[in-house]
Amino acid sequence: MLSRDDARKLIDQVLSYSKADDCQVTIGERDLAQTRFAVNSITTSGRSDGVAIYIWSTKDRRTGQVATNETSEDALRKAVARSEELAGFAPPDPEYVEPLSPQKYPEIPSYDAATAAAAQKEILSAVKTAVEASQAKGVVSSGYYERTASALALGNKRGNFAYATRTRAEYSLTSRTPDGTGSGWASAEGHRMGDVDGARIAGIAIDKAVLSRKPRPLEPGKYTVVLESAAVSDLLAYMFGLGGVFDARAAEEGRSLFTRRGGGTRLGEKMFSEKITVRSDPFDSRNPGRPWVGNVEVEIGGVGQIFFGGAGVAGPSYLPTEKIDWIEKGVVKNLVYTRYWAEKKGVNPTPLPAANLVMEGEDHSVEDLVRSTERGLLVTHFWYIRYVNLQTVQVTGLTRDGLFWIENGKITHPVMNFRFNESPANVLANVEMLGRPELSDNRIVPAMKVRDFTFSSVSDAV
Amino acid sequence: MDLTRRRFLELTGSAAAAALAHELFGLPELNAQNTGAGKPSEALSALAEVALARAKKLGATYADIRINRYRDQVVALRSTPDLATGKLNHVPAVRDTGSFGFGVRVIANGTWGFAASRIVTKDEIARVAAEAVAVAKANSALQKQPVRLSPVKAYVDKYTTPHQRNPFDVPIAEKLALLERANAEVKAVPKVFSANSTLVAHSEDKFFASSEGSRIQQYILQCYGQVTAAARDLERRVSRQRNYSPSPYTAGWEAIEEHDLPGNGRRIGEEVVEHLSAPPVTPGRKDLVLMPNHLALTIHESIGHSTELDRALGYEANLAGTSFLTPDKMGKFRIGSEIMNIQGDRTLPRGMSTVGYDDDGVKATEFDIVKNGVFQHFQTIRDQAHLVGEKESRGCCYADSFDSIPFQRIPNVWLKAGTKPMTLDDLIAAVDDGILIDGRGSWSIDQQRYNFQFGGDAFWEIKGGKKGNMISRVAYQSRSTDFWSSFEATADQRFWQNHGLTSDGKGQPTQINAMSHGSSPSLFRRINVLLTD
């Protein structure tokens, strides 16, 4: 992995080719080991080492952006020259924000040497456990295990520099009964492979597959639901992060849930249940974040986002990361202010665009939530959620891999999957009881009991 | 020092170590004829030889290498008024992205193995080939059936997307000027809040060599643009967007010029303002007339995905899901009405999935997916064809990067036009109570592709056979087979339009794929329409 010194040298090398007023560079290196299996057998598996170098050159508020994975001296010179050439063509950006002067970035331990050293052999052992357990129970399992180790660095002509390393392991599997009427799913993740208990999630997925066999249809309508933490995390992705729902500018421009009637924002309003407290906390050791805002690693090898000027809504600001409350006891505490919008509004920029989410819970297990429910549905997780109306955050999607009827505090039978049309904003208002927070899909969230959740049609899918 | 760090630093210091992408691939040819007798680069063939020889020596029974270079250019312009002064801020984004590297795929002990690297040197190619073999051998412990590949001819050829002007050669200033004109047309409509427009060019230089003798060099070029208008009503706390998203094509800049972004900018500006105050739909069973740029996504989700063989066999069960179509339904299961004829096709002119050869080295082809409403064939790749008793792959293999593992992806999947003379107006005239839907809105479908919900970008009421005013808050729900069974009429070939999609995700890790779903405007009877928020 690229060391701090190597990263600094490489960034200095790139900056030394720059003739622009400003130049900003980010580097990411990612070692990915991954294995997919399906129908109780490995389908694809591989190892790759990806690199991405992003360069922003600015002259007279005109910015050109280049990304490359070629790191020879010649290629780097050409990349810098190209970014300057593009800057020359671009018109001046009226919303340009200057690169940061040297910042003090926090150290956040998120690298685990044992995880970085692990690869195919360790992954294979988890896969073998699942396959053997599946065969023993007569179900068919499919899954995906990946582990990444990455080094990330940023620097600019004004002397700012930061470096961080990171590891992560993610494992999910789906078990299906051979008659095709039952399906169960479970996942585990963490920055340490040691935290990913493969045998445990294989057990959950297999049990759910067997329990969900031969589901019965139920009329669509409004029901009380117990959402497991994975289902909560699936929904909250559409409230925090995706779509820019918390973006202050979108609110003020009249495009968001947080737009006040007639103009302005709903900051400070109590819009949700008193039980709801949500923050971003990159320092939470259960899911440590990055030292700065904006990441590099997801873009490696993929088609990158468009960054308007490197500082717009979608762009990374590279400010030091901080803990911040979004909702406190149901009250909207903060909205996301980009550096441009913050400067315009005379407020401090928000350090995080709703990453590293942590929602407070209550001291209840999922079983407790079920026990407290007279009539309702237990939801394992959701699938294919899309916005129907970004302004109300109405989304649609489907339940998947285990939907069960609850009667008088007990699970009685599996139910056919439903499509839902609902807003997570309503869900956060209609909460009745919370479980203990757990890490699921990068968010630490509790299971939830929620009233009046709207299911709109039945799906035949298993 | 660990291996990756050493390799990284070796390269950074020296210009001589690695091949430079642009030198290896050369310049793409304009107006290519693609006769089938093209000559791939000798330098690329020599590099490939290293991987194939190394894999064979280590016991691989099959090997291939893809040496690929990708380029993306995005030019965008967002025109938003300053809230305090009302002055229009034009915020540009200009970005060039590139990546280059190779991936080696082998079969050893009857099991696939894969490894990749961005360092294109002979030493690194040999190392990565050995790593791919090691991965295959380790995984073979869990392999139940050995991988079997359907036969393919050895091709030596060069293919280039036909194009007249390479979009990467079009000056940025010319692109920005076009976007400025488009945004200005949108903003010329009073009550429009903001305008946003984008131009994208994507190219793939691909070289494929296999241990079975193929040496194939391809240049695939995609080009597209769009313009978006937004309007808002602060009192009602409602905002709406309207897009003009002409079909992405495998083509050159000439396609962008055909699209007339500025001319359509004015139209969508007017339509977004109408949409903002359009009355809500009355929900219930209604007839739908769907335009090709809307139907593309419905075809994609209900037919494109359900006819992927890997899904049907359970290979995608952990994420994308399985399918309501299973191999026993081939040739006999009725999906829709008699007029439903759907092709799988990697040869369609300008189709976003159109290539000379797929990433298995199989020559591009066209095949029946649905004929007269009955399901015919799955999309397949070489290691799947035998699983449904077929002798050859249908050429649907693709990987989105040199370091992605090739797997089965949706080709161009298009609906044949009606054979009887029929216009869009004829379809509308046949509707008493219905909705005309244009463009894409929200979309969602279950993991076996039964139950779906679609929105749209714009909706017009149809009453008594006449197109009326815009309405709002429309979505419709159906089951794939119910929906296609209610497919009553489709306009003839004069109205048929190709429509490309650029970002279909599948697999773990997720890979992106592009394809086209052409159709003519089509009529569907009595579909369940919802009133949304």
Side-chain angles (χ1 to χ4, degrees), chain B residues 10-30:
Chain B
E10 267 173 9
L11 268 170
T12 312
S14 132
L20 281 170
H22 66 278
E23 287 168 7
L24 264 179
F25 288 104
L27 290 174
E29 177 195 355
L30 292 178

Side-chain angles (χ1 to χ4, degrees), chain A residues 261-400:
Chain A
R261 200 173 289 277
T265 76
R266 303 178 74 183
L267 201 61
E269 271 186 45
K270 183 168 180 297
M271 293 175 65
F272 311 105
S273 159
E274 293 226 340
K275 289 180 184 288
I276 299 299
T277 293
V278 187
R279 59 179 159 268
S280 284
D281 186 357
F283 305 103
D284 192 311
S285 61
R286 292 170 292 180
N287 189 34
R290 299 172 190 85
W292 60 81
V293 180
N295 71 49
V296 180
E297 64 204 303
V298 295
E299 296 151 31
I300 296 171
V303 179
Q305 285 175 280
I306 311 165
F307 295 139
F308 285 101
V313 172
S317 75
Y318 303 124
L319 284 165
T321 196
E322 281 176 41
K323 189 170 160 178
I324 182 167
D325 291 329
W326 302 113
I327 302 171
E328 191 180 13
K329 293 190 174 10
V331 176
V332 183
K333 292 298 283 186
N334 280 294
L335 294 175
V336 174
Y337 283 83
T338 60
R339 290 181 62 215
Y340 167 72
W341 202 248
E343 198 175 286
K344 217 173 150 49
K345 293 283 156 183
V347 300
N348 287 327
T350 318
L352 277 168
N356 288 96
L357 215 67
V358 180
M359 178 183 272
E360 285 187 6
E362 294 172 333
D363 191 16
H364 300 300
S365 64
V366 175
E367 291 72 24
D368 294 338
L369 302 189
V370 169
R371 248 194 303 276
S372 75
T373 304
E374 203 179 318
R375 288 163 65 80
L377 287 154
L378 173 66
V379 179
T380 299
H381 72 150
F382 292 118
W383 161 249
Y384 219 132
I385 305 179
R386 289 290 181 278
Y387 288 111
V388 174
N389 183 337
L390 183 56
Q391 189 136 18
T392 60
V393 205
Q394 187 184 44
V395 294
T396 187
L398 298 116
T399 62
R400 184 169 170 180

Side-chain angles (χ1 to χ4, degrees), chain A residues 1 6 36 45 65 67 82 172 174 259 305 344 384 386-387 391-392 400 419 457 459-460 462, chain B residues 2 5 82 95-96 98 139 232 237 239 301 316 318-319 442-444 446 448 451 477 479 533:
Chain A
M1 200 58 58
D6 300 335
R36 277 186 109 186
S45 177
Q65 312 167 34
R82 178 63 179 159
S172 64
T174 302
T259 296
Q305 285 175 280
K344 217 173 150 49
Y384 219 132
R386 289 290 181 278
Y387 288 111
Q391 189 136 18
T392 60
R400 184 169 170 180
R419 170 173 295 289
S457 55
S459 154
D460 301 84
V462 175
Chain B
D2 71 46
R5 186 177 164 217
D82 183 293
R95 172 169 166 164
D96 265 8
N139 288 341
R232 62 188 184 147
R237 292 203 310 151
S239 62
E301 299 289 8
E316 296 291 325
N318 187 48
L319 185 71
S442 114
W443 61 92
S444 167
D446 70 42
Q448 288 188 313
N451 172 308
Q477 286 185 355
R479 278 170 99 243
D533 268 4

Side-chain angles (χ1 to χ4, degrees), chain A residues 1-3 6 10 13 29 32 34 36 38-49 51 54 63-76 78 82 86 89-95 120 124 127-128 131 135 142-144 146 172-174 176 185 249 252-255 257 259-263 266 301 303-309 340-341 344 383-384 386-389 391-392 394 396-398 400 417 419 421 456-462, chain B residues 2 4-5 7-9 11-15 19-22 71-74 76-78 80-84 89-101 112-118 131 135 138-139 142-145 168 172-173 176 180 193 196 198 232 234-240 301 313-322 401-403 405-407 442-453 477 479 507-509 530 532-533:
Chain A
M1 200 58 58
L2 205 61
S3 71
D6 300 335
L10 187 56
Q13 183 189 343
E29 184 187 12
L32 167 72
Q34 46 100 354
R36 277 186 109 186
V39 202
N40 291 346
S41 195
I42 287 177
T43 50
T44 54
S45 177
R47 180 110 187 238
S48 60
D49 186 18
V51 164
Y54 286 74
T63 301
Q65 312 167 34
V66 165
T68 180
N69 73 339
E70 294 185 71
T71 51
S72 67
E73 186 186 333
D74 187 32
L76 290 174
K78 283 196 168 73
R82 178 63 179 159
L86 292 178
F89 295 131
D93 178 356
E95 298 186 3
Q120 241 64 30
L124 207 56
V127 172
K128 197 158 172 273
V131 167
Q135 283 165 340
S142 306
Y144 177 64
E146 75 165 39
S172 64
L173 86 162
T174 302
R176 295 173 64 80
W185 170 92
R249 179 174 188 168
E252 294 191 41
E253 288 182 345
R255 301 184 278 119
L257 175 72
T259 296
R260 202 176 59 206
R261 200 173 289 277
R266 303 178 74 183
V303 179
Q305 285 175 280
I306 311 165
F307 295 139
F308 285 101
Y340 167 72
W341 202 248
K344 217 173 150 49
W383 161 249
Y384 219 132
R386 289 290 181 278
Y387 288 111
V388 174
N389 183 337
Q391 189 136 18
T392 60
Q394 187 184 44
T396 187
L398 298 116
R400 184 169 170 180
N417 283 311
R419 170 173 295 289
N421 281 59
S456 53
S457 55
V458 175
S459 154
D460 301 84
V462 175
Chain B
D2 71 46
T4 60
R5 186 177 164 217
R7 291 205 310 273
F8 196 106
L9 295 178
L11 268 170
T12 312
S14 132
L20 281 170
H22 66 278
R71 287 185 72 191
D72 282 277
Q73 187 182 78
V74 179
L77 190 69
R78 170 162 60 75
T80 316
D82 183 293
L83 278 190
N89 280 349
H90 300 285
V91 179
V94 181
R95 172 169 166 164
D96 265 8
T97 314
S99 69
F100 172 48
W112 282 119
F114 178 82
S117 171
R118 66 191 176 87
E131 187 164 336
V135 166
N139 288 341
L142 280 176
Q143 190 80 6
K144 287 216 256 355
Q145 296 288 329
F168 289 98
I172 301 287
L176 277 163
E180 278 167 24
F193 175 65
N196 208 331
T198 309
R232 62 188 184 147
L234 287 176
E235 283 309 316
R236 289 165 51 229
R237 292 203 310 151
V238 174
S239 62
R240 299 268 183 247
E301 299 289 8
L313 295 174
Y315 291 3
E316 296 291 325
N318 187 48
L319 185 71
T322 57
S401 168
F402 66 88
D403 60 1
I405 300 176
F407 70 137
S442 114
W443 61 92
S444 167
I445 189 164
D446 70 42
Q447 74 276 13
Q448 288 188 313
R449 308 278 145 176
Y450 288 105
N451 172 308
F452 60 68
Q453 177 175 319
Q477 286 185 355
R479 278 170 99 243
Q508 291 177 295
L530 319 180
T532 66
D533 268 4

Side-chain angles (χ1 to χ4, degrees), chain A residues 39, chain B residues 303-317 321-323 325-330 367 369 375-390 392-394 396 407-411 506:
Chain A
V39 202
Chain B
I303 305 301
H305 280 301
S306 65
T307 58
E308 295 175 298
L309 182 57
D310 55 357
R311 291 182 71 111
L313 295 174
Y315 291 3
E316 296 291 325
T322 57
S323 175
L325 292 169
T326 42
D328 56 301
K329 291 181 172 142
M330 285 173 72
F367 57 100
I369 290 182
F375 171 49
Q376 301 297 320
H377 295 291
F378 283 107
Q379 308 154 34
T380 60
I381 62 175
R382 284 190 71 195
D383 65 6
Q384 299 174 325
H386 71 280
L387 298 170
V388 283
E390 294 193 347
E392 285 185 337
S393 159
R394 305 238 174 231
C396 300
F407 70 137
Q408 191 269 303
R409 299 308 304 259
I410 302 180
K506 179 182 171 186

